Amino acid sequence: MIRPVTVGLDRSPESRAAVRWAACEAVRRNVPLRVVHAGGHPYGDGMLREAAEELAATHPGLAVTTDVADAPPAELLVAEAGRSELLALGSQGLSGLSGYVVGSVGQATLARAKRPVVVVRESGRAPEVQDPRPVVLGLALRQGAADVTAFAVEAAQRGGTPLRAVHTWSYPPMYRYAPAAMDPACGAEIGAGEKHAVAAALDPWREKAPGVEMAQEVVAGNAAQALVDAAAGACLLVIGRRTHQPACLGPTAFAVLHHALCPVAVVPYE
């Protein structure tokens, strides 16, 4: 069975940006696009009809289906994610505490979905099927995180773009709040070890995707800040979410979703 790319649509500009991004992603993957609206609002049918008409004009060869469901939004979106290649959501008002992502619907969807969820904000820039900007990967050296790397590598491969893997490390607990007190040689040794580990983690992917240019960046410090900085010129930022943890977003994911300007893919892994 061919899984579609699915996108949730509401009346926000961010949601419409998510529809446009999802359409390009469906074309890249050569799969159908499914546009859904939750809550059974009376304007839902008209909104979906307008979206379908716009998509027919901008992507005439794309198969599009729409659906209005009288169901709790989070339940619908989590269920749709499970039947899809990925789910796209609009990120409404991420700079404030009333935003879609930090609200109960967005958090429940991101924390419970068993498939990747991509959060898109309205940037004013139209998405492109072939976007020359790099894909940025938040690389975690954990068992099981290969699914996250695979998603990022495949995204770069489909788009013909470079991959930039960003990995951060922390000073030992005794020096964490006073890094200046650490022997510089010790810090250099830790950094060199982390760079070696990152290179080893990427080597198999270089063999699997020889056409993808891969760069790595290994820094000491705050993971969220490093990822947000790296994502400033990216077409997509890919981060992971451990499924065995409580159904909530971790601090790094929460911060990245608030501040990254590009679409953010949250990929679950065990």
Side-chain angles (χ1 to χ4, degrees):
M1 184 182 76
I2 298 177
R3 292 175 178 263
V5 168
T6 300
V7 57
L9 176 64
D10 58 27
R11 292 187 291 183
S12 70
E14 292 82 5
S15 175
R16 288 170 172 77
V19 171
R20 293 190 290 270
W21 184 90
C24 289
E25 183 65 16
V27 171
R28 281 188 286 263
R29 292 171 177 260
N30 193 29
V31 299
L33 176 67
R34 179 170 168 78
V35 188
V36 299
H37 173 72
H41 300 115
Y43 54 79
D45 287 321
M47 189 167 52
L48 289 172
R49 185 168 54 253
E50 291 177 7
E53 291 172 354
E54 178 182 338
L55 290 168
T58 56
H59 300 281
L62 178 62
V64 178
T65 59
T66 62
D67 188 24
V68 175
D70 187 9
E75 290 185 14
L76 171 69
L77 293 172
V78 169
E80 290 288 347
R83 295 189 286 265
S84 306
E85 284 281 299
L86 61 82
L87 173 71
L89 299 175
S91 60
Q92 186 181 45
L94 286 180
S95 62
L97 293 178
S98 61
Y100 183 80
V101 169
V102 297
S104 59
V105 172
Q107 285 203 48
T109 303
L110 285 161
R112 292 165 50 201
K114 301 301 184 184
R115 302 283 296 174
V117 178
V118 179
V119 178
V120 183
R121 67 171 23 174
E122 175 54 79
S123 65
R125 172 174 177 154
E128 306 170 54
V129 173
Q130 295 296 324
D131 192 326
R133 297 175 296 169
V135 172
V136 172
L137 164 66
L139 180 62
L141 300 176
R142 297 192 186 104
Q143 186 176 4
D147 288 347
V148 186
T149 303
F151 184 95
V153 171
E154 290 165 6
Q157 195 171 35
R158 278 190 297 269
T161 65
L163 176 72
R164 181 182 178 189
V166 178
H167 173 72
T168 59
W169 58 273
S170 299
Y171 288 99
M174 66 183 72
Y175 298 112
R176 193 161 296 164
Y177 301 104
M182 175 187 281
D183 180 351
C186 180
E189 182 178 350
I190 295 173
E194 295 291 324
K195 289 179 181 178
H196 178 77
V198 168
L202 290 177
D203 280 345
W205 299 102
R206 289 189 171 102
E207 295 180 6
K208 293 177 183 178
V212 177
E213 177 187 340
M214 298 186 192
Q216 66 183 61
E217 179 179 339
V218 181
V219 296
N222 180 274
Q225 187 62 59
L227 291 173
V228 170
D229 290 345
C235 65
L236 180 68
L237 170 61
V238 181
I239 60 175
R241 177 184 65 80
R242 303 184 78 173
T243 56
H244 70 271
Q245 292 180 335
C248 63
L249 295 174
T252 297
F254 192 83
V256 165
L257 288 163
H258 269 270
H259 298 292
L261 298 179
C262 69
V264 179
V266 181
V267 181
Y269 71 97
E270 296 183 359

